[in-house]
Amino acid sequence: AQSVTQPDIHITVSEGASLELRCNYSYGATPYLFWYVQSPGQGLQLLLKYFSGDTLVQGIKGFEAEFKRSQSSFNLRRPSVHWSDAAEYFCAVDVGNTPLVFGKGTRLSVIA
Amino acid sequence: EPEVTQTPSHQVTQMGQEVILRCVPISNHLYFYWYRQILGQKVEFLVSFYNNEISEKSEIFDDQFSVERPDGSNFTLKIRSTKLEDSAMYFCASSESFRNEQFFGPGTRLTVL
């Protein structure tokens, strides 16, 4: 069965530091890949998506993600974290025959 | 900017009661979805709906659940006889086409006592 792994449950970074959130998927072909962010008490907001083409995708709020086929990974990056980035981040895949499969999420805390 | 809306934001009910969660998808979208997120766990797919019928459902979506698009704008999820384990955040989503990005609503927090 398809699965999405986000190995980091909770990450704490200092404001201004760089960030990388990891996501690995288990699926034979290349799925469509997404990162969503959930702020406390809020719904899920799409940060970025990868369908095909350039493996480095830019999203909203200064986020980017790189698809690496050889590693079955789609890691999310932010060069300089802001306090407002504190939230839960979910990686999700669409393998075509089922709707989105989500990872368990990574909670990001930002300290001054 | 168009958005998916959900009502109510929070619903408290007694075990065994029926609840209806409501969603208004983005107006030109054709595919509709329900997901749920039990506290502290990942978001799980429940059901997808297209062309006035269920296109896919998960194991979670048993006979206690049903969905309906009663008019041109609303999309509802009904739980016939709620159980304690139905307590979760329920998200509605919609997309313009198959496998296109899904836009999520803010969710309805269901608490079953």
Side-chain angles (χ1 to χ4, degrees):
Chain A
Q2 306 91 352
S3 67
V4 179
T5 303
Q6 293 181 249
D8 304 305
I9 297 172
H10 185 201
I11 285 181
T12 300
V13 299
S14 299
E15 192 169 13
S18 64
L19 170 72
E20 182 169 34
L21 302 182
R22 296 181 290 168
C23 173
N24 292 92
Y25 62 90
S26 170
Y27 182 62
T30 301
Y32 290 0
L33 298 156
F34 304 85
W35 274 100
Y36 284 86
V37 60
Q38 184 182 30
S39 299
Q42 303 290 313
L44 297 162
Q45 182 183 22
L46 181 68
L47 283 175
L48 46 75
K49 63 189 179 190
Y50 173 79
F51 288 175
S52 65
D54 193 345
T55 56
L56 184 64
V57 293
Q58 302 296 322
I60 63 171
K61 305 184 180 185
F63 284 91
E64 64 178 29
E66 184 172 14
F67 167 61
K68 292 186 178 179
R69 186 188 308 273
S70 61
Q71 298 176 19
S72 296
S73 69
F74 189 56
N75 294 348
L76 181 71
R77 299 197 292 248
R78 179 108 151 90
S80 177
V81 169
H82 188 260
W83 65 267
S84 60
D85 294 329
E88 187 99 19
Y89 291 81
F90 293 93
C91 181
V93 304
D94 174 349
V95 298
N97 58 347
T98 59
L100 293 177
V101 176
F102 284 83
K104 290 188 176 181
T106 297
R107 185 160 60 92
L108 173 66
S109 297
V110 181
I111 57 176
Chain B
E1 185 179 327
E3 58 182 18
V4 176
T5 59
Q6 291 185 243
T7 54
S9 56
H10 191 190
Q11 173 102 40
V12 181
T13 189
Q14 295 291 324
M15 190 169 55
Q17 295 296 303
E18 173 184 287
V19 296
I20 297 177
L21 309 183
R22 291 182 168 79
C23 167
V24 179
I26 294 173
S27 61
N28 64 332
H29 286 188
L30 301 177
Y31 290 78
F32 313 115
Y33 312 85
W34 284 101
Y35 293 81
R36 80 170 185 192
Q37 182 184 29
I38 295 172
L39 188 64
Q41 298 187 26
K42 64 179 179 179
V43 178
E44 301 172 290
F45 166 72
L46 292 178
V47 65
S48 59
F49 192 86
Y50 169 71
N51 202 24
N52 280 320
E53 59 183 26
I54 290 174
S55 50
E56 192 156 0
K57 59 183 180 179
S58 71
E59 293 174 351
I60 303 167
F61 194 88
D62 61 23
D63 292 343
Q64 293 299 312
F65 291 89
S66 63
V67 289
E68 195 177 31
R69 188 155 162 82
D71 52 43
S73 59
N74 290 283
F75 179 51
T76 62
L77 174 70
K78 182 194 292 186
I79 309 175
R80 267 181 263 284
S81 177
T82 50
K83 308 183 191 70
L84 295 176
E85 55 265 35
D86 293 327
S87 294
M89 181 74 92
Y90 288 80
F91 291 106
C92 174
S94 68
S95 65
E96 203 169 32
S97 58
F98 181 60
R99 297 197 79 191
N100 208 335
E101 63 185 270
Q102 295 178 29
F103 291 82
F104 283 76
T108 293
R109 178 163 298 285
L110 175 65
T111 302
V112 182
L113 303 176

